[in-house]
Amino acid sequence: MTLRLPTGEVTVLLGEQIVRRRLMAMLDETSGAPAERVTAEAGTGVAERRRRLEDAGGAAIVLVDRLTDGLDATGRRAVLGALAGVAARGAAVLVDDDDCVAALAVADGTLRADPLRGLVLEPTDGSVTPLEELYRAS
């Protein structure tokens, strides 16, 4: 599968959870451009999760795979807030997060796993679909 993500941007994966999980599992961080997958176990603190993001900042593609699982709303915002800094170094950042609202707050675009259209890259600037519709559809 060839997937081209915008560099220097945070892209949030939307769609049914099972489809998002399968897509993230299919993405292989060992082939193609230098990529790094960032995950965390449930007991990992906010500082450690942010450090993992910082450590991944040199990769061309950063796969943020449910990094906020187990955190409260404040912790999720703190971790997701670090994504813009990773993208600013030129990485293409793809995020799969169960809290789509929090993830969309820091996103430059979305990658929707749509059963009819396949994978559709959409900006969050309102030029394609209003943010409210993206949230309802996720």
Side-chain angles (χ1 to χ4, degrees):
M1 170 177 65
T2 301
L3 177 63
R4 296 184 192 273
L5 296 170
T7 58
E9 292 187 9
V10 176
T11 304
V12 174
L13 187 56
L14 297 178
E16 293 182 35
Q17 181 180 16
I18 188 71
V19 176
R20 295 189 336 255
R21 298 301 315 136
R22 286 180 182 160
L23 178 61
M24 287 300 278
M26 286 176 19
L27 297 174
D28 182 4
E29 61 269 20
T30 63
S31 63
E36 187 157 341
R37 186 177 304 269
V38 182
T39 62
E41 300 74 35
T44 307
V46 171
E48 173 63 17
R49 293 172 197 233
R50 288 179 61 102
R51 186 194 61 73
R52 290 180 187 182
L53 282 173
E54 289 298 317
D55 291 348
I61 301 168
V62 179
L63 304 171
V64 181
D65 201 350
R66 299 171 57 117
L67 189 59
T68 67
D69 281 6
L71 295 177
D72 63 10
T74 302
R76 285 192 302 273
R77 283 192 303 274
V79 170
L80 293 171
L83 295 176
V86 175
R89 291 187 232 154
V93 179
L94 181 62
V95 180
D96 179 22
D97 200 283
D98 279 341
D99 188 346
C100 293
V101 174
L104 283 169
V106 299
D108 298 298
T110 64
L111 180 64
R112 178 176 307 284
D114 184 289
L116 298 176
R117 299 183 297 160
L119 294 176
V120 181
L121 195 60
E122 301 171 335
T124 57
D125 64 3
S127 63
V128 175
T129 307
L131 189 57
E132 300 83 33
E133 287 183 37
L134 293 175
Y135 172 67
R136 281 194 293 269
S138 70

